[in-house]
Amino acid sequence: MAHHKLRTPLSEDDVRRLQLEDTVTIDGAIFGIRDATQIRMFDEGIAPPADLSGSVCLHTAPGVRKRPDGGYEKLSIGTTTSTRMNRFVPGLLETHGVRAIVGKGGLLEDSVEAMRRFGGAYLAIVGGAAALETMQIEEIEDVWWEDLMPECLWKFRVKDFGPLIVAIDAHGNNLYQRVRDQAAARIRDLLG
Amino acid sequence: MPTIYDVIENVGRELYLRALKDIPADVRAALRKGWERERQSGNRSAEQVMFTILENVRTADAQDTLVCQDTGLPVFLVDIGADLGINVAELEQRLRVACERATREYPLRSNTVHPLTRKHTGVNTGEGIPVIHLAFIPGSMSIHIRMAPKGSGSENMSFLKMLNPSEGIRGIRKFVLECILESGARPCPPVIVGVGLGGTSDTAMQLAKKASTFRGIGSRNPDPEIAQLEQWLLEKINQTGLGPQGLGGATTALAVHIEWAHTHISQNPVAVNIQCWRGERAEAIVHADGSVTYLDGAS
Ligand code: SF4
């Protein structure tokens, strides 16, 4: 189990090096996306107004307060369940060059396959740990599609964001699935 | 001079915020135990997850901020002294205003939407929200208010099955374990598992919610056979190895609580409701003279 300190944007090499259960912290910028953001990108086919290649995307809809100068102040930024947004992941990787997804709860088989093919990783954050996450986000740098509030496209500046745990790597391994299969087998044994 | 209803409104608002910011003492103790367990077992990622959770609770204390971003749907359990002559409609109205004030004044994220149009109400109240359960307590001269802003990642892991009576305890055990497997990483484990046995279908769900969300961690049901089943389930759930955040480890559940009611000769209802690691709840007693005692949320 190695620790990696990564700086955005990430290269394919950066993510191919990650092994299951390694830990990662991120410096630089990460994008915040949620259901509505991706419905606009994929179902309505509207190109995102920011360059996502090499980016890290976080599954979130932040709690914010608008400042008089038009910018946003962070109130509480946490992570939502990724599984619900699984269907958008292959497109994020293939079409937009996203390198890592940060979320909780994991992704399904087609996303694992996309990560293997295009070179991506799923980094698990501790769900519910919003107090810490909010501290690690230094500033809300930019926001697009404000009409979708709070499910806009957000850009956050981060420092030492993590520790995140590599739960799906770029080689077809899925920690959630491994743990689940083992749990299912144990339950079968228990019930005889 | 504030009326008892003014006091109830202020207490309701305060409990909503406290529950979101201040993790109850018994939940903290259980999280610390989980961290120690993972450390001893040498599972580094599980230890890391538990450590991050504890760090997060500390950060929320130090910064006086929300523990988790999900401000939930407000649920109240209110035990009313039967001889106080409380106007229940007024009490319910004040608890609703309490949630709206907490939402506007803090400000909290509002989660309440119409189930079909998904249109936001913007104030964390709406049709049927807050959820309020009332009970009347003979001989009591106070109002005991318990509040939980139930988060959605765990609430989405709610299950009901009308088992056959002939499936008995074996069927109950199997169903609960299957629910845990089905929930996996989604409700932010380590979780608190609430099980409701018996009653009609709606009673079973309500009992499960009471068990997951309003009981002190690790408290045992007074019925020894039920308590034994709680213990059995806790051991087995932790033996699944799902672990913190579903990433593997020995701490999948912090507790299993079961509440029960009698049921029909040809029914065997089992409900499961999950609470996440933050175990959010807060409680206070409003006395007849309008004074208030805040409890640490573990009764
Ligand atoms: S499941 Fe609970 S701890 Fe996790 S994000 Fe939802 S409310 Fe927060």
Side-chain angles (χ1 to χ4, degrees):
Chain A
M1 264 176 62
H3 180 73
H4 308 260
K5 230 173 137 45
L6 300 180
R7 169 160 282 285
T8 60
L10 307 185
S11 68
E12 176 163 0
D13 231 42
D14 286 337
V15 292
R16 293 262 181 221
R17 270 203 304 272
L18 304 176
Q19 306 279 337
L20 235 47
E21 290 195 80
D22 282 357
T23 52
V24 173
T25 45
I26 297 174
D27 289 327
I30 59 176
F31 289 92
I33 54 174
R34 207 182 166 122
D35 306 65
T37 336
Q38 299 178 83
I39 287 171
R40 179 158 295 179
M41 284 169 68
F42 294 102
D43 297 351
E44 296 167 17
I46 300 174
D51 179 13
L52 299 181
S53 59
S55 72
V56 175
C57 288
L58 169 70
H59 283 152
T60 187
V64 295
R65 185 173 11 218
K66 193 156 188 152
R67 288 194 313 247
D69 67 2
Y72 287 91
E73 183 194 332
K74 57 180 183 170
L75 288 177
S76 179
I77 307 182
T79 305
T80 190
T81 305
S82 305
T83 330
R84 211 177 56 228
M85 291 172 274
N86 177 74
R87 71 179 172 105
F88 302 117
V89 171
L92 284 175
L93 270 67
E94 184 175 9
T95 313
H96 300 287
V98 171
R99 285 285 169 215
I101 302 281
V102 178
K104 74 174 184 100
L107 296 169
L108 307 179
E109 205 33 59
D110 51 335
S111 296
V112 178
E113 174 55 20
M115 290 191 161
R116 192 187 62 75
R117 261 184 73 201
F118 303 111
Y122 181 83
L123 309 174
I125 199 165
V126 175
L132 210 57
E133 209 174 315
T134 309
M135 292 280 289
Q136 293 170 348
I137 291 178
E138 290 190 313
E139 209 192 357
I140 300 180
E141 241 180 49
D142 227 327
V143 58
W144 298 270
W145 294 345
E146 282 178 72
D147 59 308
L148 300 179
M149 188 66 61
E151 303 187 32
C152 321
L153 176 62
W154 298 92
K155 188 177 185 186
F156 306 124
R157 197 175 63 235
V158 296
K159 192 164 163 33
D160 281 329
F161 189 77
L164 309 166
I165 295 173
V166 179
I168 300 172
D169 66 13
H171 309 285
N173 300 306
N174 181 352
L175 182 56
Y176 294 101
Q177 192 59 44
R178 190 182 287 179
V179 168
R180 248 184 80 90
D181 288 348
Q182 193 184 58
R186 287 191 187 154
I187 289 174
R188 269 198 306 276
D189 286 351
L190 281 172
L191 296 170
Chain B
M1 179 66 188
T3 67
I4 191 108
Y5 301 103
D6 296 335
V7 175
I8 288 168
E9 182 184 314
N10 285 330
V11 168
R13 175 189 176 279
E14 175 68 19
L15 289 178
Y16 198 164
L17 296 179
R18 277 190 191 220
L20 289 170
K21 289 178 171 183
D22 192 6
I23 297 300
D26 58 328
V27 179
R28 289 173 190 244
L31 290 169
R32 232 170 289 126
K33 244 172 76 183
W35 174 52
E36 273 155 26
R37 185 188 304 131
E38 300 297 355
R39 204 174 42 173
Q40 275 159 18
S41 74
N43 182 333
R44 297 235 335 257
S45 13
E47 180 192 337
Q48 176 74 258
V49 171
M50 293 309 297
F51 182 77
T52 305
I53 287 176
L54 290 169
E55 270 296 294
N56 183 69
V57 172
R58 263 193 292 273
T59 307
D61 287 342
Q63 305 282 323
D64 191 30
T65 57
L66 309 189
V67 171
C68 165
Q69 78 287 352
D70 189 349
T71 47
L73 284 181
V75 181
F76 290 94
L77 292 191
V78 190
D79 290 347
I80 305 172
D83 302 326
L84 276 177
I86 288 291
N87 174 341
V88 171
E90 174 76 9
L91 177 138
E92 288 187 325
Q93 175 54 21
R94 291 305 190 102
L95 288 178
R96 166 182 293 264
V97 173
C99 296
E100 294 171 359
R101 278 186 49 206
T103 304
R104 275 205 207 95
E105 291 166 18
Y106 184 73
L108 299 175
R109 184 180 91 181
S110 178
N111 307 305
T112 328
V113 295
H114 186 281
L116 274 186
T117 64
R118 311 306 294 177
K119 209 171 150 290
H120 280 268
T121 67
V123 282
N124 277 320
T125 63
E127 188 67 36
I129 306 288
V131 177
I132 302 174
H133 298 293
L134 300 175
F136 296 88
I137 311 299
S140 157
M141 285 301 283
S142 59
I143 304 169
H144 185 172
I145 307 178
R146 287 181 279 186
M147 196 281 165
K150 189 66 169 63
S152 137
S154 58
E155 184 66 9
N156 276 338
M157 302 303 119
S158 300
F159 307 89
L160 172 72
K161 195 160 185 188
M162 305 304 276
L163 293 171
N164 264 321
S166 66
E167 290 175 276
I169 186 170
R170 205 186 125 74
I172 294 169
R173 286 172 169 172
K174 179 163 181 278
F175 178 62
V176 176
L177 290 175
E178 283 167 357
C179 292
I180 296 300
L181 188 62
E182 164 70 23
S183 305
R186 286 176 289 171
C188 285
V191 293
I192 305 160
V193 182
V195 180
L197 297 180
T200 49
S201 57
D202 51 334
T203 331
M205 277 317 318
Q206 268 183 33
L207 291 171
K209 167 68 57 56
K210 191 172 173 202
S212 69
T213 306
F214 291 103
R215 262 181 54 184
I217 296 282
S219 58
R220 283 280 158 258
N221 191 291
D223 180 322
E225 278 177 66
I226 299 280
Q228 213 174 37
L229 182 57
E230 290 177 334
Q231 187 57 37
W232 188 92
L233 283 168
L234 179 62
E235 275 168 27
K236 302 309 175 208
I237 288 170
N238 283 333
Q239 281 169 19
T240 62
L242 281 169
Q245 297 292 303
L247 295 168
T251 317
T252 306
L254 301 175
V256 176
H257 301 142
I258 304 176
E259 294 288 314
W260 66 276
H262 282 103
T263 191
H264 191 283
I265 184 172
S266 59
Q267 285 173 8
N268 184 10
V270 190
V272 174
N273 179 259
I274 306 284
Q275 175 61 303
C276 35
W277 63 258
R278 73 171 175 165
E280 72 278 6
R281 60 176 135 79
E283 59 184 301
I285 295 176
V286 177
H287 304 280
D289 64 0
S291 62
V292 180
T293 314
Y294 286 95
L295 307 174
D296 82 349
S299 69

